[in-house]
Amino acid sequence: MDINDIFKETVSSTTLNVGKGKRKLGDAPSLSRLKERGYVVENEDGDSANASKRAKTDTSDIDANADGIDDDDEGGRFFSDGLSTKQKGVLQWVDNAEDVEESLDKAAVQRLVSRIERAMSRNTEERIRHAQSPLEFAESEADLDEALRALAPLANDVLLLHVLDDLDAIPTLVELLAHENEDISLDVVDFVNELTAMDAWSQDGESQEERQAVVRFVKALQRNEFFEALGEILRRLDENTQSEYNQDDASGVAKALDIVDNLTTLDPGLAQSAATSMKLLDWLQMRIAKDSQGTVSADANQQYAAEITAVLLQTSPEICLAAADSPLVEALLKRLSKYRKRTPEDAAEIEFVENIIDAICVLVSTRKGKKAFEMLEGVELLVLMQKQQGICRLLSLKILDYALSPPNVLYEEEEKRNDAKFNHVSTQKDIAKRYIDNVGLKYLFYVLTRRGKGSVKKLYKDYPESDERAVSCISWLFRLTERDTPLHWRIMAKFVSTPADETSWKLHIDRLVELNIQYHESLRETEDRINNNDDDDDDADGDDNEEKYLTRQEAGLYSLQMSDIVIAFVAMDKSARLRVEQRLRRKGRTLDDVAKELAEYVAVKQASSLSSVGSTSGAKSAAASGSGSNPTSADLDHMLSLL
């Protein structure tokens, strides 16, 4: 049946509104006509002439249900998307195909490199041709940007990095790092950052093959002076966050620092070379000391700069020795001085202060660092910080502990070769004298006795190592001041009765003995566990002895020995000695036990002084194996003379 037949009715005046505006209906179609068109027609008696059949429609061209369209879903065809199941499947396949990364191989990398070189060549030509019309070469620059971003999948398959070197593409990357458009430069920085990140070479557990591939790539960058160019980028970028573009620059600075941070994990030697080539210490010094738009709080990159500084100084002795003789010490102290009268506001700022303090501690572990710290009035800054009842008082103790302690053996030998006449003990004594003269003992003993209320008390629980720091500082102050001198007696006055103070000395002794017993019990538990393991293994050797000694150190041996030293000095006074012995006996300890522990400390100290750097295992082994041969009643005064 042709649908057009329905509309082939003869149009006459009777079917139109004519005459007086009255509309007349046309003649009704006959029954036979309706039947021909498939309608169900009732007879005169009301029965259906074709009751068993419904009106039929021609579905030869369109069958919605056959194509998978559900008319009842979401209101039928008018409200659905009108797509068949097959069509929906095709669109879903296209969407999934867009998420599938192209598998890389050597040929694919070659195509990526060719694309970059073509885009770079075109951009260079258009920049020269339209030097005064940046819009003319904007399209070629966008193509170059897109071509560089296409290298990103290489971070998922670093074993193909050698192809870049084989195709001599690394000089091209270095050249693009110095591109006039900083967005292009930052594309290169982002690419190298992704490649050196641990995720790129240690995805499923550390892979030496992937790690070596990245190391070779970084060395190729180094040969092509990549890090010199990276240092220039750091100085070009404007971190003023007033505009969107400068926010991108700040992100670029963070990624450049990320590269150095990644290298400290990948290969510390490469990190040292990179930092030297970038002249990074100079930039870090400037960045740390810079005020953040006139505010005291540090911005994100300033915090990161402090973290990178601390990491680099701990990673490379060469960098540390170079920094100790540079303005970096002054820059760190200058930044730390912002907190002499204020407390960090949040966790991020606390971490910033901790990173600065860690960096200073590494520097004062060198002889030159100690001297610079003293000359720049670092001791006076510590006393000012300790006047606060906040976190800065506890954090500053770490610097004081490192400043009073002898230089790290890793740096001492190198410094001796450069300056054999330099006397670090003299510098340590000067630091001790300045601290005592500036009334630092008052605040040091506040920490020892955990003086404070409320939030201050909570800080001591959050930083339990402050007890060990305080005991260590007191022991070094005793050892760095000559006996029977005013300085020495000012320390002793904290442990003996005086007309001005007849009660606090007892609190100081009680707290000292309490910590001594605490460290001893912690160490005893570890030693019992070690002895139980020895019963199961009779093949102990020198390496095992060294391992045992290190385990004992971690369990509190050093802190115990520092408290023993303070007790030995305090016991030189008769009244103080009686109270010390009384408190020790309550926990089953005596001064003889203190003397034995001091004997082990002296033995290790003497053996280490005769050992070269890197061969102290013999001294540690002798101390670990011979600790049981210490005298049961040693002369404390003689022990102190050997310290």
Side-chain angles (χ1 to χ4, degrees), residues 131-164:
Q132 303 302 322
S133 303
L135 291 178
E136 297 295 334
F137 55 77
E139 182 179 352
S140 66
E141 216 132 279
D143 292 340
L144 179 57
D145 177 78
E146 186 178 349
L148 283 170
R149 291 176 182 272
L151 287 174
L154 270 174
N156 297 325
D157 196 352
V158 295
L159 296 179
L160 289 172
L161 285 176
H162 70 91
V163 180
L164 295 179

Side-chain angles (χ1 to χ4, degrees), residues 11 29 59 63 93 104 186 215 236 303 312 344 371 407 414 470 481 608-609 622:
V11 180
T59 59
D63 190 347
W93 182 87
L104 285 180
L186 294 181
V215 169
R236 275 176 53 192
Q303 294 175 5
L312 279 176
K371 191 64 179 177
E414 180 66 25
T481 53
S608 298
S609 65

